[in-house]
Amino acid sequence: MCNIAVISVHTSPLARPGTRDSGGLNVYIGELSRELGRRYHRMDIFTRRSDAATPEIVDVDANTRIISVTAGPYDLDKEQVRLYLPEFLRGVIAFQERTAARYDLIHSHYWLSAWVGQALKRRWQTPHVIMFHTLGEAKNRAGAVEPEPAYRIEAEREVARDADRIVCASEGEREVLERLYCVPPERIAVIPCGVDLERFAPLDPAAARSELGLDNGAPIVLFVGRIEPLKGIDMLLQAVARLETRFRLMIVGGDEKDSGRRAGLAALARELEIGERVEFVDAVPHDQLPLYYNAAAVCVIPSHYESFGLVALEAMACGVPVVASDVGGLRDTVRDGQTGYLVPWSCPEPFAERLELLLGNQELRGSLGLLARSAVERFRWSEVAGRVEDIYHELVSRYRGVTVGSHAYEDSAS
Ligand code: UDP
């Protein structure tokens, strides 16, 4: 059993995925903690307080707690959070001292947290594992609409140099870490993300549509995710505007705080004369998303960059074919022509072509969907947790000066 300090400064696992900065990272931390908790590891997840109401300690389950640390005003943009990192760090240290908590390892998520994790590593003399979830260099090379600043990339380089292990979810990210951040291969572990195969499973599409109160009219093209420029939603609108087949586009994600971006997208849809066929749906709780995937004919992921892309796995697990950009982690999950399509050009025409093909051919959708479901059977959160746990055991043993395998350590530590 290990005591893990999980650092997630800029977004809380309690936040609803699909809103503002909450997305794949939040789902990842939630699922990983649940699985590690089942294996009797204890997790304290430290996050920046973003409201007055949440108690300092929230027990998620018997082994996982969320600790809210006050650092800066409640409502901050991600870009501003870095200014309050020293205050956050002091808050974590104060909590640890006050409660006499003992941590065997630090696991940081995203570069802002990695900065905190690195300082804690020095203070506590414990191993530090980082998962960046996304890297500034990778986003910039993918032509990010809003380029990542040099200070982020500098900070990533520095913490990467010092980390005991960096977990990344795709081969593409491993390459970026090796080539652009000069991280030696032995300090990188590629562990794909997982999907809950019981929650995300094929359902009768007509039943899913009726449960959502949708008529059985035009086939649904589905987008699920945060409303942000990197997701390429504007390009998706331009793609569907080219379709000759009937369609209805559902854009699921975001909330009232995204009203500005949504209004811009709605204006573009009107300009393209498809305003009536596009529907914006506020972020849907994760456990209700299977209904949306199952109601859809196809799920589109038009991102300019995607470090992994959980949405692709979830749609595929529901037996729904995916049309995705040929970028980042999507290359590791979508098999072009077998479980969906990968589109190598960041422009609307090839997306429209693939969509037209799928919308006009139910049989093709069925066969790709079937293969998609079986292709994702190997992505399980229990598998992810098992591999992360092996890293924890190895590093904790090494720091304790015990050079034994994970099972021997388990015996000696329990
Ligand atoms: N998500 C959700 N409700 C929504 C929109 C998104 O639960 O309304 C979840 C989605 O199911 C997925 C995550 O948010 O698990 C998004 O992860 P992904 O890796 O696709 O994108 P990221 O947010 O990491 O860029």
Side-chain angles (χ1 to χ4, degrees):
M1 191 271 283
C2 298
N3 291 314
I4 316 295
V6 179
I7 314 294
S8 176
V9 181
H10 79 286
T11 174
S12 163
L14 297 171
R16 173 177 286 195
T19 57
R20 293 192 92 192
D21 297 326
S22 174
L25 182 153
N26 308 64
V27 172
Y28 186 94
I29 295 178
E31 297 285 349
L32 184 68
S33 308
R34 192 176 3 262
E35 289 292 339
L36 290 171
R38 283 190 189 137
R39 293 159 190 248
Y40 305 108
H41 299 292
R42 294 218 179 87
M43 267 81 44
D44 275 353
I45 306 173
F46 292 93
T47 192
R48 201 185 69 83
R49 174 176 290 289
S50 58
D51 62 45
T54 308
E56 181 188 35
I57 301 176
V58 174
D59 289 306
V60 178
D61 57 39
N63 289 320
T64 305
R65 311 189 291 179
I66 296 178
I67 319 287
S68 290
V69 176
T70 302
Y74 296 145
D75 199 17
L76 278 183
D77 285 339
K78 193 160 65 175
E79 291 66 39
Q80 296 168 300
V81 169
R82 77 188 169 98
L83 305 173
Y84 298 93
L85 291 178
E87 197 176 331
F88 183 88
L89 172 64
R90 284 195 294 278
V92 176
I93 292 169
F95 178 88
Q96 182 269 325
E97 288 176 351
R98 176 159 51 86
T99 60
R102 184 190 65 86
Y103 298 108
D104 302 301
L105 183 139
I106 302 151
H107 194 161
S108 308
H109 295 270
Y110 198 62
W111 73 275
L112 293 165
S113 302
W115 184 93
V116 175
Q118 174 171 278
L120 291 173
K121 166 186 166 154
R122 289 188 185 137
R123 187 176 179 94
W124 294 342
Q125 297 293 304
T126 48
H128 182 207
V129 176
I130 300 178
M131 182 151 182
F132 283 107
H133 292 270
T134 170
L135 288 159
E137 282 277 22
K139 280 174 99 169
N140 286 352
R141 289 193 180 224
V145 189
E146 293 167 349
E148 292 301 318
Y151 61 73
R152 168 176 176 174
I153 291 161
E154 262 318 296
E156 286 174 341
R157 271 189 216 297
E158 201 206 312
V159 293
R161 253 198 306 275
D162 193 55
D164 293 284
R165 195 65 44 90
I166 301 176
V167 175
C168 60
S170 66
E171 278 303 324
E173 204 139 290
R174 181 186 59 76
E175 251 179 70
V176 173
L177 280 167
E178 277 189 36
R179 274 197 306 116
L180 304 178
Y181 289 84
C182 303
V183 180
E186 64 276 13
R187 284 203 285 114
I188 305 174
V190 182
I191 306 178
C193 299
V195 62
D196 182 337
L197 291 166
E198 281 71 47
R199 172 177 286 178
F200 293 96
L203 300 170
D204 171 25
R209 288 174 78 122
S210 112
E211 193 143 340
L212 292 174
L214 302 169
D215 58 26
N216 272 328
I220 293 174
V221 174
L222 180 70
F223 169 91
V224 175
R226 292 175 293 115
I227 307 296
E228 69 142 279
L230 197 72
K231 294 285 179 185
I233 306 173
D234 50 350
M235 187 180 68
L236 173 58
L237 291 172
Q238 288 168 11
V240 293
R242 287 167 163 77
L243 294 178
E244 284 169 15
T245 319
R246 300 180 311 141
F247 72 91
R248 171 172 179 171
L249 173 64
M250 287 184 90
I251 299 175
V252 176
D255 60 13
E256 71 285 348
K257 293 204 167 116
D258 297 296
S259 55
R261 280 180 180 162
R262 270 187 184 164
L265 292 167
L268 175 61
R270 282 195 301 277
E271 213 175 282
L272 294 164
E273 296 177 4
I274 53 166
E276 273 153 35
R277 286 188 271 170
V278 179
E279 187 182 344
F280 292 91
V281 180
D282 269 353
V284 168
H286 204 231
D287 59 357
Q288 283 174 32
L289 271 178
L291 283 178
Y292 287 83
Y293 289 122
N294 276 288
V298 52
C299 180
V300 191
I301 305 163
S303 310
H304 299 290
Y305 182 71
E306 202 63 67
S307 72
F308 184 76
L310 278 176
V311 163
L313 273 195
E314 293 165 359
M316 288 162 74
C318 292
V320 175
V322 165
V323 175
S325 305
D326 186 12
V327 296
L330 297 167
R331 290 181 174 155
D332 296 8
T333 50
V334 182
R335 291 196 208 136
D336 187 41
Q338 292 177 44
T339 62
Y341 294 110
L342 285 172
V343 180
W345 300 280
S346 220
C347 50
E349 291 81 5
F351 276 90
E353 191 197 305
R354 292 312 191 194
L355 285 171
E356 196 79 72
L357 184 67
L358 280 172
L359 292 178
N361 189 336
Q362 193 171 356
E363 209 174 308
L364 177 65
R365 294 203 302 271
S367 62
L368 293 181
L370 217 58
L371 272 176
R373 170 71 196 187
S374 61
V376 299
E377 301 272 352
R378 66 194 177 94
F379 296 91
R380 289 177 184 275
W381 287 114
S382 54
E383 173 78 13
V384 176
R387 294 180 62 187
V388 171
E389 184 184 37
D390 285 345
I391 294 173
Y392 289 176
H393 284 155
E394 180 202 324
L395 294 176
V396 172
S397 305
R398 193 194 298 162
Y399 268 62
R400 287 186 185 161
V402 190
T403 46
V404 290
S406 61
H407 299 297
Y409 168 72
E410 210 163 48
D411 292 345
S412 70
S414 53

